[in-house]
Amino acid sequence: MKYKKTILATTILSALLILIALGVSLVVSPMVERKAEQLLTRYAARVGAIERCSFSRVEFSPLSRSLTLHDVLVIYRSPKGLRKSMDRLEISVPLRAAACAVPSLRPYVLPENGSMDVCNSITADGVSFSMPGLLAGSLKHAAISGVSADARHVRAILDGRRPEPVDLLEHAVIDGLDAVNLRATVQTGTGSAACTLGAFRLRGLHDLGIEEIRFEQLNAATNKERAGIALFGMDGFRAPDAATLRLLLSVRLDGKKSPQALDKDIEHVLPMLQQWLTATIPPVRVLAVEKASFRGSRPQDVMSLDLMRLDWLSNRPREMKTAVKDLVLPAQLVESNGLHLPGLKELRFNGESDTRDEDGRIRETGYLSLARFGQLRYNASYAVPGGVFNFSLMQLLSMTIHDAAFSFVDQGALAYIALNQHDPDMAGPYFNQALDYSFPGRDNDALRAALKVFTDRPGTLDIVKTTSEPTPLLRCFDVATLGRLWRVSATPGKESLYDQMRRLAPAR
């Protein structure tokens, strides 16, 4: 019996609470809606870039503390003529942030310092935008969630002041940002370009970094060209520090600065960028492009890519992986630079590399493959001054090589190179004379003999460093010590260089 009475009391109390909430909603909602409409209209009028801002009606929900605007229209003075409209815009804010909008409550709820939640979510449906003679487009849906900011910046914005963009971004937090079905048409000097984006996703923006970014089904087309990417993704992005960002934003490359002033800016920026690239935590952890393609105005101008990926896990210790799968380029791209490739319409490239620290040195392994040319596999360890790359030419030239091994399998590379210089009858004698001239001396006898086997019947060429003692990079190419420093061996192929050249270019 007691149990039944408790249930009955709880039911009655719940019903009363619901009735009270509905009553409060009926009284409070119209007041908030009128106040919100006044504040939004007043704020839009204070923003110099906005010429006009309007909406058909405002709705407020006390329970969810969400404000919904219908049929929003914003016309901007700058950029001139930009027009933006939304069928529906909903903003949900925490109780403290809502109270901050009331001037009399602001001193009691707005903290002096520290971060505060300013928005639970913002969603927009049916977005369209246009700028006369320049662009027009639409966005089906967009949503932002979990927005936080520094209390000082919130106060500044409420007082009508604009915080510095870098300072604002440095202390901002956004849990997520999503956009679906973006379409835009951009007018160019020679016509127009249509752009579409299937979906955009951002996760974890904080401390000038972003945990995840995804662009899906990104396409652009003109009446002559088409380009598309199925996926562009980036994980673990970290921007340069605030001081570097401010300096980068201050550098103007529009010709309004003198060459001396521009050189001074670059002189300050480069060390900062170098420090950003060589920090213990890399600027980006993963960068990937999948299923990319490009079609030009001519049938032969076709490029495609199945996968390109960078895994930049650490700088200290060094750990990085790269991969390229089925990068296809038109042969015409190479032939336009003077290299003739008879019978070859495309270049298909694949490759992988793995770089990591090993006993105080950097170990790099991988392979490069160019279809109908050849494949190179390599395994080497080396050391750079300071132990960490600083992306300078001087450091590259100062590196020391410890052990190294290369294996090249020829699939037509030597024949194509020879065809650009000689007739088939002359190629063999030319290579023999060139080897005798380039690698003189008895110390290079074995090296010369192996290279002659390879140039006569291109097959497999193996090159191995004979010692693991550190050797300066430039000394590795010293002709006087090549024969002692490198062991070269060749496995002849099935077809002679002469026969390959005749098969590739029968008319010659």
Side-chain angles (χ1 to χ4, degrees), residues 189-212:
T190 57
S192 64
C195 307
T196 61
L197 175 64
F200 170 79
R201 182 170 74 251
L202 179 149
R203 293 291 180 270
L205 184 152
H206 58 87
D207 300 327
L208 294 177
I210 301 173
E211 283 302 310
E212 177 190 29

Side-chain angles (χ1 to χ4, degrees), residues 148-162:
S148 301
D150 190 289
R152 295 170 302 165
H153 298 149
V154 174
R155 181 179 290 102
I157 292 171
L158 290 172
D159 292 342
R161 292 177 283 116
R162 295 183 182 181

Side-chain angles (χ1 to χ4, degrees), residues 358-372:
E358 182 183 273
D359 299 327
R361 293 173 281 175
I362 298 173
R363 168 71 60 184
E364 186 162 348
T365 59
Y367 79 90
L368 302 171
S369 174
L370 190 58
R372 296 185 63 180

Side-chain angles (χ1 to χ4, degrees), residues 439-448 479-486:
F439 306 105
R442 297 189 60 181
D443 287 341
N444 291 326
D445 284 349
L447 182 149
R448 228 174 18 251
V479 174
T481 59
L482 282 177
R484 296 191 301 273
L485 192 60
W486 300 96

Side-chain angles (χ1 to χ4, degrees), residues 185-352:
T185 301
V186 181
Q187 301 299 322
T188 65
T190 57
S192 64
C195 307
T196 61
L197 175 64
F200 170 79
R201 182 170 74 251
L202 179 149
R203 293 291 180 270
L205 184 152
H206 58 87
D207 300 327
L208 294 177
I210 301 173
E211 283 302 310
E212 177 190 29
I213 294 178
R214 294 288 183 275
F215 292 86
E216 298 177 7
Q217 300 303 325
L218 178 61
N219 297 283
T222 66
N223 58 348
K224 294 182 179 181
E225 300 171 334
R226 288 181 173 273
I229 298 175
L231 173 67
F232 172 84
M234 186 164 54
D235 294 340
F237 171 76
R238 294 178 64 86
D241 59 66
T244 305
L245 279 179
R246 290 189 187 95
L247 188 55
L248 285 171
L249 292 173
S250 70
V251 175
R252 301 181 62 165
L253 302 176
D254 55 6
K256 294 183 179 180
K257 279 193 173 184
S258 67
Q260 294 81 5
L262 189 58
D263 288 344
K264 189 174 181 180
D265 283 339
I266 294 173
E267 184 180 337
H268 282 86
V269 167
L270 285 180
M272 291 182 171
L273 291 178
Q274 195 175 73
Q275 185 178 7
W276 174 54
L277 293 171
T278 58
T280 302
I281 300 176
V284 63
R285 189 172 65 249
V286 178
L287 188 65
V289 178
E290 297 181 12
K291 305 294 183 184
S293 63
F294 171 81
R295 291 183 177 276
S297 56
R298 301 177 303 174
Q300 63 268 33
D301 294 337
V302 178
M303 291 178 271
S304 64
L305 170 71
D306 188 63
L307 171 70
M308 184 178 291
R309 181 181 174 99
L310 166 67
D311 290 81
W312 196 343
L313 304 177
S314 175
N315 278 328
R316 300 184 185 91
R318 182 81 164 175
E319 189 172 0
M320 178 186 290
K321 295 181 179 181
T322 62
V324 176
K325 183 179 179 183
D326 282 344
L327 171 61
V328 180
L329 302 172
Q332 178 67 28
L333 193 66
V334 178
E335 291 187 331
S336 62
N337 292 318
L339 182 61
H340 184 52
L341 305 172
L344 199 62
K345 293 183 179 179
E346 64 181 30
L347 305 174
R348 186 176 296 271
F349 178 82
N350 288 273
E352 287 184 4

